[in-house]
């Protein structure tokens, strides 16, 4: 049942405020400015002994993991990174007993992720699952974890599960942070930020008509470049994936900081750039990148917290705490991908060549 929407993708994009509300529900502990995550099966002493966090997932879940790794590193000050589970499996990675491994999967059935979990477990590692489907293979195989409570996702491309997974990671980062050195006041600040998310998501979704018009304008592009820096980079990666999956337009994501090391050669009027420009420490750096692109007559669409002069169009999103901004900044670009695909007459809920869960090698 699509509840009045023309596709599941559209329905699921619009369910995100409610979905985020669900992943937060019952987990915030105001007394200690932290969150309670009963299913982790990780006591405080164990949480303090973690030396590294390694996040494994595929596709969109990998991108959510990239955002999660940054949040864990920022809030808990534990070195963290994300890697495609499909790559990790085949490189005989060093399995380290002081590393916390986190497997991310919407379906909980993705074979590459499951196989990575099984290999890790066989070698005695501790593995948590961040999963949407309750009771799925990865959830059962992991030592503990969190459900992201996004509700069923039917569209082959992931939207609300991505968002909820990034929020779940914010909770994990806050929990690990408050078990270690994150202050009470920072804990409070993050909790207040988390509570603002559902309302801010609703505000972003209200801009759909404006985003639809932008999509019509850019739908003729043969290729698009997505750029972002640090917190914005995984957002650019995910937006680029979403656009290619549903519209079949070629898209490439690049760190804005790397433009001058190659991709600037591509910039011309026929190549639009979508830039993620948060109002954070890197704002001036990002502005300089927009100038470089503008100087070469590249069209620019910015997703930012305020109007960007150098951009042809800015989608203004509400500001949250710096660490939580990545959760919100990709949401308008889900709508951009959707409306581009709609304009091009694509099979939005079932893009060619793709399946909802990849349970084979
Ligand atoms: C993208 C998409 C895929 C999945 C990937 C992992 O929109 O849907 O990239 O994210 O196949 O799937 P899960 O999260 O079920 O492990």
């Amino acid at each position: 049942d699509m509840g009045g929407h023309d596709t599941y993708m559209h329905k699921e994009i619009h369910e995100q405020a409610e979905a985020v509300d669900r992943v937060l529900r019952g987990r915030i502990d105001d007394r200690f400015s932290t969150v309670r995550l009963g299913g982790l099966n990780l006591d405080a002493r164990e949480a303090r002994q973690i030396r590294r966090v390694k996040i494994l997932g595929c596709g969109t879940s990998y991108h959510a993991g990239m955002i999660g790794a940054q949040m864990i590193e920022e809030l808990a000050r534990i070195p963290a990174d994300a890697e495609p589970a499909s790559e990790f499996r085949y490189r005989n990675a060093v399995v380290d007993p002081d590393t916390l491994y986190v497997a991310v999967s919407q379906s909980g059935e993705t074979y590459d992720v499951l196989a990575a979990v099984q290999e890790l477990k066989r070698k005695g590692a501790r593995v948590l699952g961040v999963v949407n489907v309750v009771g799925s293979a990865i959830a059962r195989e992991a030592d503990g974890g969190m459900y992201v409570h996004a509700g069923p996702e039917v569209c082959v491309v992931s939207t609300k599960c991505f968002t909820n997974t990034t929020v779940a990671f914010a909770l994990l980062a806050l929990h690990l942070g408050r078990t270690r050195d994150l202050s009470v006041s920072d804990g409070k600040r993050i909790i207040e930020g988390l509570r603002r998310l559902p309302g801010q998501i609703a505000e972003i979704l209200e801009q759909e008509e404006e985003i639809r018009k932008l999509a019509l304008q850019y739908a003729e592009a043969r290729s698009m470049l997505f750029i972002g820096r640090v917190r914005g980079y995984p957002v650019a990666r995910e937006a680029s994936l979403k656009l290619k999956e549903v519209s079949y337009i070629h898209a490439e994501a690049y760190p804005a900081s790397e433009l001058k090391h190659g991709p600037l050669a591509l910039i011309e009027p026929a190549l639009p750039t979508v830039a993620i420009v948060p109002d954070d420490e890197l704002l001036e750096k990002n502005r300089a990148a927009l100038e470089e692109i503008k100087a070469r007559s590249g069209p620019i669409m910015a997703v930012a917290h305020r109007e960007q002069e150098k951009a042809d169009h800015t989608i203004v999103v509400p500001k949250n705490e710096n660490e939580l901004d990545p959760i919100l900044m990709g949401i308008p670009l889900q709508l951009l991908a959707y409306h581009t695909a709609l304009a091009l007459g694509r099979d939005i809920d079932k893009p060619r060549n793709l399946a909802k869960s990849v349970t084979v090698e």
Side-chain angles (χ1 to χ4, degrees):
D1 173 30
M2 294 194 208
H5 296 271
D6 61 346
T7 54
Y8 281 104
M9 184 180 186
H10 194 262
K11 173 173 184 266
E12 289 159 5
I13 288 173
H14 281 272
E15 283 170 347
Q16 290 178 109
E18 202 186 297
V20 166
D21 205 58
R22 261 197 313 271
V23 65
L24 297 176
R25 201 172 301 155
R27 286 171 162 166
I28 292 174
D29 175 353
D30 284 301
R31 178 162 174 236
F32 291 107
S33 301
T34 186
V35 284
R36 275 184 307 257
L37 301 170
L40 293 186
N41 294 329
L42 189 74
D43 67 28
R45 184 186 297 261
E46 291 165 328
R48 295 187 61 100
Q49 279 164 355
I50 298 165
R51 303 282 295 267
R52 289 190 61 84
V53 177
K54 172 62 109 181
I55 301 171
L56 302 168
C58 296
T60 288
S61 288
Y62 162 55
H63 295 150
M66 290 174 76
I67 292 174
Q70 287 192 18
M71 288 171 169
I72 290 168
E73 200 153 308
E74 284 197 86
L75 296 176
R77 303 305 295 157
I78 306 171
D81 75 329
E83 182 177 341
S86 47
E87 287 287 292
F88 179 84
R89 275 183 68 203
Y90 289 109
R91 67 177 180 82
N92 193 25
V94 174
V95 174
D96 165 25
D98 298 326
T99 296
L100 176 67
Y101 293 87
V102 184
V104 193
S105 176
Q106 183 285 128
S107 61
E109 304 290 344
T110 300
Y111 187 73
D112 279 320
V113 184
L114 180 62
V117 171
Q118 289 168 337
E119 174 72 356
L120 283 165
K121 297 265 318 187
R122 191 181 66 77
K123 292 182 172 169
R126 180 189 287 274
V127 187
L128 299 183
V130 176
V131 168
N132 189 46
V133 176
V134 175
S136 54
I138 293 163
R140 282 183 275 122
E141 200 80 31
D143 297 297
M146 319 171 53
Y147 285 117
V148 307
H149 298 307
E153 193 177 65
V154 177
C155 177
V156 163
V157 305
S158 183
T159 53
K160 65 174 179 170
C161 273
F162 170 79
T163 300
N164 266 38
T165 303
T166 61
V167 177
F169 272 115
L171 298 177
L172 180 62
L174 175 58
H175 170 76
L176 292 173
R178 287 288 298 126
T179 309
R180 300 163 70 114
D181 297 320
L182 189 74
S183 69
V184 170
S185 63
D186 275 329
K188 280 210 171 92
R189 180 174 67 74
I190 296 299
I191 287 173
E192 280 162 19
L194 290 168
R195 288 197 167 118
R196 289 199 296 277
L197 289 171
Q200 291 182 319
I201 291 172
E203 269 179 63
I204 293 170
L205 298 177
E206 278 165 21
Q207 299 182 57
E208 178 161 12
E209 183 49 25
E210 184 192 320
I211 296 167
R212 189 185 70 85
K213 286 185 184 143
L214 282 177
L216 294 180
Q217 219 170 307
Y218 287 86
E220 297 300 304
R222 297 221 27 224
S223 178
M224 280 171 86
L225 181 64
F226 288 76
I227 60 168
R229 206 180 277 262
V230 189
R231 298 187 191 103
Y233 176 56
V235 176
R237 293 275 305 243
E238 173 55 14
S240 154
L241 176 61
K242 218 81 310 173
L243 184 77
K244 15 177 178 298
E245 287 181 300
V246 288
S247 75
Y248 314 151
I249 292 176
H250 170 259
E252 179 172 357
Y254 233 86
S257 53
E258 284 282 300
L259 275 183
K260 57 181 173 298
H261 301 293
L264 263 189
L266 295 171
I267 303 298
E268 51 145 349
L271 181 74
T273 296
V274 177
I276 313 300
V277 188
D279 246 12
D280 63 11
E281 316 74 6
L282 296 169
L283 180 60
E284 289 315 313
K285 291 274 177 203
N286 281 319
R287 284 199 168 137
L290 299 191
E291 252 168 70
E292 295 287 334
I293 295 166
K294 206 66 248 169
R296 289 156 184 88
S297 308
I300 303 173
M301 182 193 315
V303 176
H305 294 122
R306 62 176 106 159
E307 208 66 41
Q308 294 303 310
E309 265 169 47
K310 294 291 166 189
D312 301 279
H313 306 277
T314 308
I315 302 171
V316 177
V317 295
K319 180 82 184 87
N320 200 296
E321 299 305 317
N322 288 346
E323 299 90 334
L324 303 181
D325 283 331
I327 298 169
L328 295 171
M329 297 193 86
I331 292 177
L333 299 174
Q334 298 173 343
L335 285 172
L336 183 80
Y338 166 83
H339 281 290
T340 305
L342 193 67
L344 296 173
R346 305 302 191 216
D347 189 357
I348 293 179
D349 282 339
K350 288 193 170 57
R352 66 186 182 201
N353 311 338
L354 300 180
K356 184 67 179 162
S357 57
V358 185
T359 52
V360 292
E361 284 272 337

